[in-house]
Amino acid sequence: MGEPEHDLETERLQALAELEILDSPAEAAFDDIVALAAEVCRTKVALIGFTDGNRHWFKAGVGFATKEMPVDFGFCPMVVRTGRPIEIEDTSTDPRWRDVPLAQPPSNVRFYSGVPIRNDGGLVLGSLCVCDTEPRSLSPSQRTALLLLARQVEQQLSLRAGLRSMERIDRERRQTLDELTLYRQIIANSADGIGIIDLEGRLIEQNESHRRILGYADAEIIGKTPAIHLGDETF
């Protein structure tokens, strides 16, 4: 049996959030892809967008000033939901699409062609689309080009995911170092005698109280295995 739709959507939204791409600044790599898509497909508009729970947000666009729209406003969220390419030659003659707000004034989109954008795990995060105010259709070579450009978007997302993973690892490493520094400060300032030993039982560190209690300087005891007896210390 397939995975429940709700679980897949939760996983998809989590993957999208981890990319930290929503509301991010413009990037030349994505801008270049939409410019090439519009040129190859001979359309006025080309867009790269990502769908979260409530909106479809555009990372890059040509010929379209809006940065986001509700999920039920346009065609791209349907590409995300179905995971399949969608091409509409004329929205005004297709009863499935003619009432979509984007097909109405002032946008008046008549032609639309969109393909899914997936992450490395196969989840559909968004779409690459081209559209126009005049009815038309793409040639087979243009459809292939759109799919290839979507693959370039996916490669950019893969690079971004790797970068975000490295950044998270670095943050966790710095947090661990900060916690270790604080821990060492607490030990150093403690009035209790604290000694730290390794897995072999050798003393590797002691605080000032520990030095005072045992009466051994670091040079005399560090690296040795203390055997403590009542009234007698041997090393």
Side-chain angles (χ1 to χ4, degrees), residues 182-223:
L182 178 61
Y183 176 66
R184 293 172 71 92
Q185 289 174 346
I186 292 172
I187 291 176
N189 296 325
S190 175
D192 297 323
I194 300 175
I196 302 173
I197 61 173
D198 64 15
L199 294 176
E200 303 297 326
R202 294 184 294 265
L203 188 71
I204 59 175
E205 190 173 345
Q206 63 176 342
N207 67 356
E208 184 58 37
S209 297
H210 193 270
R211 294 186 191 94
R212 186 173 60 254
I213 292 169
L214 293 187
Y216 289 98
D218 287 353
E220 299 174 285
I221 193 173
I222 296 300

Side-chain angles (χ1 to χ4, degrees), residues 51-83:
T51 303
D52 68 7
N54 302 306
R55 60 174 177 156
H56 191 73
W57 179 80
F58 299 109
K59 173 64 176 176
V62 169
F64 197 74
T66 301
K67 287 299 295 180
E68 64 179 66
M69 61 179 59
V71 292
D72 58 353
F73 197 85
F75 311 101
C76 290
M78 182 60 70
V79 175
V80 176
R81 285 194 292 270
T82 63

Side-chain angles (χ1 to χ4, degrees), residues 40 87 136-145:
V40 169
E87 184 169 317
R136 53 167 302 175
S137 63
L138 296 184
S139 68
S141 62
Q142 287 172 325
R143 293 190 187 101
T144 298

Side-chain angles (χ1 to χ4, degrees), residues 94-108:
D94 192 326
R96 297 171 301 171
W97 308 107
R98 62 187 174 201
D99 293 328
V100 173
L102 201 61
Q104 309 301 315
S107 299
N108 293 314

Side-chain angles (χ1 to χ4, degrees), residues 21-39:
I21 197 165
L22 292 173
D23 300 308
S24 61
E27 297 176 56
F30 295 97
D31 292 341
D32 290 347
I33 290 172
V34 291
L36 186 55
E39 178 66 24

